[in-house]
Amino acid sequence: MRSFINKNWQRRMTINYKNITVAGSGVLGSQIAYQTAFKGFNVVVYDINDEAIDRAKERVAKLKPRYQTDLGASEEDVNAATNRMSFTSDLSKAVADADLVIEAIPEVVQIKLDFYKELGKVAPEKTIFATNSSTLLPSQFSEATGRPEKFLALHFANEIWTNNTAEIMGHPGTDSKVFDDLVEFAKAIGMVALPLHKEQPGYILNSLLVPFLEAAQTLLLKEVADPETIDKTWMIATGAPKGPFAILDVVGIKTAYNIAHGKGRAGNEGSAMLANLLKTQYIDKGKLGVETGEGFYKYPNPSYEDPEFLQS
Ligand code: NAD
């Protein structure tokens, strides 16, 4: 155990980890690695081959200006973070002195199972394993790790440096001390730690968000009201800064389509109709959401951001 003073939090916390390995350096893995290094930890980034490592370095280079503009970080701070990072495609080397491995590899059960079996063999006994999986449960992989008591989920949101939630979720066999340590670690890397007391598919966020977004889309499908009216209702009545269709534009309409299409194929007639609506009215017209400049709203200045929107 060592004492760790987190400069940005200006308070003393006891953190049991010093060396962190992030496995998988794609969209989320590169963000988790950089954020962790930015907060003062030593970080080893592991990915499958040299090409993936090169892509990881490019991703990290692109994060630096975001930290400067979004967080006001200095040139010195963003460079110090990269200096605390190293990269390798050799798993044994990557975890040789790891206190914690955060896994952010593809959301495919077999890929994760194979990874944990291998990781369990090469990681030192002290190493804690945490998965960033969005939809899979830790109990699906706990046996494969060979150390179920030291395994749990640590789930981040995209654009981790500003959307700083960290949902922490064990499985029935997770050691409570390991769980508590991970809560402290999450805080130390600038996250708001959100502990879950039970395993729950979708954690807290998606357990709330997915049914909410589906309810809004059902209103649209039934032609009860248009997206602007639905969003306006939600925003005025609850004080929320965005309504469900504005959120869908951020998530991406393709993701909403994939979910509806999957449920439609499984026999849900309403979902099949919704998938068809999203495809014909939006996707086929190139309206995929914020990323293409248009979805339910037009960007960069969507109407819901206009103060007039909530007045009439
Ligand atoms: P991604 O496809 O962007 O990145 C996956 C990375 O894993 C790639 O760099 C790939 O080369 C690497 N990889 C593949 N097989 C590997 C292996 N066997 N060992 C090590 N690395 C391997 O994926 P992502 O969007 O970053 O998602 C990763 C995980 O994070 C998933 O479990 C996902 O559910 C979760 N997640 C994603 C988001 C998101 O918004 N993208 C948000 C929260 C959680």
Side-chain angles (χ1 to χ4, degrees):
M1 186 178 292
R2 77 186 191 123
S3 210
F4 180 87
I5 296 176
N6 187 316
K7 178 171 96 170
N8 297 309
W9 282 55
Q10 298 295 320
R11 69 186 171 107
R12 183 178 281 268
M13 291 186 280
T14 306
I15 304 298
N16 288 331
Y17 314 138
K18 181 175 162 202
N19 301 319
I20 316 299
T21 298
V22 177
S25 59
V27 175
L28 253 285
S30 56
Q31 294 180 17
I32 298 165
Y34 190 69
Q35 176 72 19
T36 304
F38 185 74
K39 290 292 181 178
F41 292 84
N42 302 325
V43 177
V44 180
V45 177
Y46 163 73
D47 211 306
I48 34 174
N49 53 38
D50 291 346
E51 291 78 53
I53 292 291
D54 287 344
R55 280 196 299 275
K57 288 179 181 167
E58 284 166 25
R59 283 202 166 94
V60 167
K62 284 187 186 151
L63 288 174
K64 285 179 170 187
R66 297 294 306 273
Y67 275 63
Q68 290 178 281
T69 49
D70 295 352
L71 302 181
S74 68
E75 182 82 25
E76 195 189 338
D77 283 346
V78 294
N79 288 334
T82 9
N83 290 340
R84 284 189 281 271
M85 300 174 78
S86 59
F87 297 79
T88 179
S89 56
D90 180 327
L91 185 59
S92 303
K93 280 190 190 148
V95 300
D97 193 23
D99 298 307
L100 170 68
V101 173
I102 304 174
E103 169 267 310
I105 70 174
E107 193 74 344
V108 178
V109 174
Q110 198 55 49
I111 293 180
K112 289 201 197 274
L113 278 174
D114 292 346
F115 171 76
Y116 280 118
K117 277 183 201 148
E118 190 57 33
L119 178 66
K121 282 186 220 150
V122 296
E125 205 186 318
K126 67 169 182 174
T127 314
I128 307 298
F129 302 165
T131 179
N132 181 47
S133 171
S134 292
T135 60
L136 306 167
L137 292 173
S139 52
Q140 289 175 259
F141 307 105
S142 57
E143 288 311 317
T145 66
R147 59 186 78 190
E149 71 289 351
K150 290 185 181 138
F151 176 61
L152 69 177
L154 175 60
H155 181 241
F156 298 96
N158 196 9
E159 308 219 332
I160 173 174
W161 60 97
T162 51
N163 301 341
N164 60 336
T165 55
E167 295 180 284
I168 297 134
M169 182 172 82
H171 63 91
T174 305
D175 184 330
S176 61
K177 165 96 172 51
V178 169
F179 186 96
D180 293 345
D181 283 350
L182 203 70
V183 168
E184 288 311 312
F185 169 75
K187 292 178 188 171
I189 59 167
M191 299 295 112
V192 175
L194 305 163
L196 277 76
H197 302 308
K198 283 186 177 164
E199 273 197 324
Q200 165 68 28
Y203 303 81
I204 297 171
L205 178 62
N206 284 333
S207 297
L208 295 170
L209 189 61
V210 173
F212 172 67
L213 297 180
E214 278 181 359
Q217 293 172 92
T218 303
L219 291 174
L220 177 67
L221 182 67
K222 287 182 172 173
E223 299 180 344
V224 173
D226 59 72
E228 293 202 346
T229 306
I230 296 167
D231 277 10
K232 207 180 277 188
T233 310
W234 185 254
M235 291 166 74
I236 298 171
T238 67
K242 281 191 180 77
F245 290 98
I247 295 174
L248 278 164
D249 274 352
V250 176
V251 171
I253 295 176
K254 249 192 182 156
T255 302
Y257 167 79
N258 287 337
I259 294 171
H261 184 60
K263 286 189 177 176
R265 287 184 63 163
N268 185 319
E269 210 176 303
S271 296
M273 285 162 69
L274 175 62
N276 184 51
L277 180 147
L278 294 173
K279 184 169 184 311
T280 55
Q281 301 297 308
Y282 296 93
I283 295 172
D284 289 351
K285 294 178 181 170
K287 299 178 184 177
L288 303 186
V290 178
E291 61 162 323
T292 57
E294 187 171 356
F296 294 104
Y297 295 91
K298 285 189 180 157
Y299 298 87
N301 297 307
S303 59
Y304 68 83
E305 282 182 356
D306 184 339
E308 287 284 304
F309 186 76
L310 301 180
Q311 305 296 324
S312 57

